[in-house]
Amino acid sequence: QSETRNFWDFTMAAPPPAESMVDPVSKLTIILSDEVPPKMQKFFAQYFQTRNGGVPLIYKFMQVLKINRREAKQPRIVMIGNRAVYVATHKGEIHRCFPISSISELLVHVDPKESQYSWVGFKTTSEHDLYIRCSTEEAEHTQIIITTLVDLHTGRQPKLTKFDPGDAAKIHKQIHTLLDLRKPPGYFLRKLDFDILRFEAPSIHAPPETNTTDDVSSNNTGTPA
């Protein structure tokens, strides 16, 4: 499914303080460039730079292990914007991009041996699926972001499948049967740009005229003329 309306096509009156940069549409916190690890900032600056009088709508930047169809683990960066999920190398090269509106299900499994880590599967209707390992805290935050955005774009919530702790090997095998991690024939990367939360440029106005006592007293209603 594709978006039928751009909810973010408007301009805010003024930027809020940086420490409280919240998207007024989704109510999600916007990630700013200084929240990217210093060693990666030069590679990802192009995505986070302020442009067109506003900031890119990016809500998540996390380091993950991507699991491919052969179950090999690849270090990657996952970014979640208002329109799409992006998978990049640590040098900022985007290798995957799929629309938020195409996410039909999230599959989540907390690692039984290391509960601080979780496995998250993204099932999509547009192309091959995505399977990652990240911190459990990041996994929980990702669920909130994806659920919020899919609901905004499509009017529905993605299915959420959580697996009980158990034999990790068996659960991974089960998840692999539910996800299609094979790149489809003829696949090509279709990048969706981040939308920008725009702010009005501050305008310069002459100071308002000050009402005098005579002005107030000359008005029978008791208000300035």
Side-chain angles (χ1 to χ4, degrees):
Q1 295 181 347
S2 60
E3 299 90 338
T4 57
R5 177 185 172 192
N6 185 358
F7 296 94
W8 290 268
D9 189 17
F10 67 91
T11 301
M12 288 189 67
E19 64 269 15
S20 60
M21 189 70 76
V22 175
D23 173 10
V25 176
S26 66
K27 310 304 180 187
L28 297 170
T29 300
I30 298 171
I31 297 294
L32 303 177
S33 59
D34 58 0
E35 297 179 64
V36 176
K39 64 180 180 180
M40 297 183 190
Q41 287 185 3
K42 66 178 180 180
F43 301 117
F44 289 89
Q46 59 182 313
Y47 307 117
F48 287 87
Q49 64 186 356
T50 300
R51 56 188 184 274
N52 298 331
V55 296
L57 288 162
I58 304 174
Y59 313 111
K60 175 61 70 177
F61 181 99
M62 58 179 173
Q63 301 181 56
V64 307
L65 288 177
K66 184 178 79 71
I67 317 303
N68 66 18
R69 63 187 180 89
R70 298 184 181 87
E71 299 192 33
K73 301 177 178 66
Q74 303 166 313
R76 292 289 184 265
I77 300 297
V78 167
M79 295 184 290
I80 304 177
N82 70 310
R83 298 176 63 199
V85 174
Y86 307 80
V87 182
T89 67
H90 282 216
K91 291 190 175 182
E93 300 169 347
I94 292 179
H95 287 184
R96 287 283 311 273
C97 174
F98 53 88
I100 292 289
S101 58
S102 72
I103 300 173
S104 60
E105 183 177 1
L106 290 176
L107 301 94
V108 182
H109 173 229
V110 178
D111 192 315
K113 295 182 179 179
E114 298 178 283
S115 60
Q116 70 270 32
Y117 295 106
S118 289
W119 306 84
V120 182
F122 298 73
K123 196 165 184 61
T124 79
T125 58
S126 61
E127 54 185 66
H128 52 306
D129 301 325
L130 175 66
Y131 192 27
I132 63 172
R133 187 176 193 252
C134 60
S135 75
T136 297
E137 182 180 359
E138 296 277 30
E140 292 172 351
H141 190 210
T142 296
Q143 293 172 48
I144 294 172
I145 294 174
I146 295 299
T147 299
T148 299
L149 294 175
V150 170
D151 188 28
L152 262 178
H153 283 296
T154 69
R156 61 168 176 80
Q157 293 195 350
K159 180 181 179 182
L160 178 59
T161 302
K162 291 188 175 183
F163 295 84
D164 293 329
D167 187 322
K170 289 182 178 179
I171 293 174
H172 285 312
K173 185 176 181 180
Q174 182 181 356
I175 292 176
H176 267 270
T177 63
L178 297 173
L179 296 175
D180 186 359
L181 302 177
R182 296 171 301 171
K183 188 180 296 184
Y187 170 79
F188 68 95
L189 176 63
R190 175 174 172 258
K191 289 184 182 179
L192 296 172
D193 290 335
F194 297 106
D195 280 336
I196 304 297
L197 181 60
R198 300 186 302 276
F199 303 109
E200 292 179 356
S203 56
I204 301 175
H205 298 285
E209 295 183 4
T210 304
N211 292 316
T212 65
T213 305
D214 291 339
D215 291 329
V216 175
S217 61
S218 64
N219 186 343
N220 293 331
T221 62
T223 57

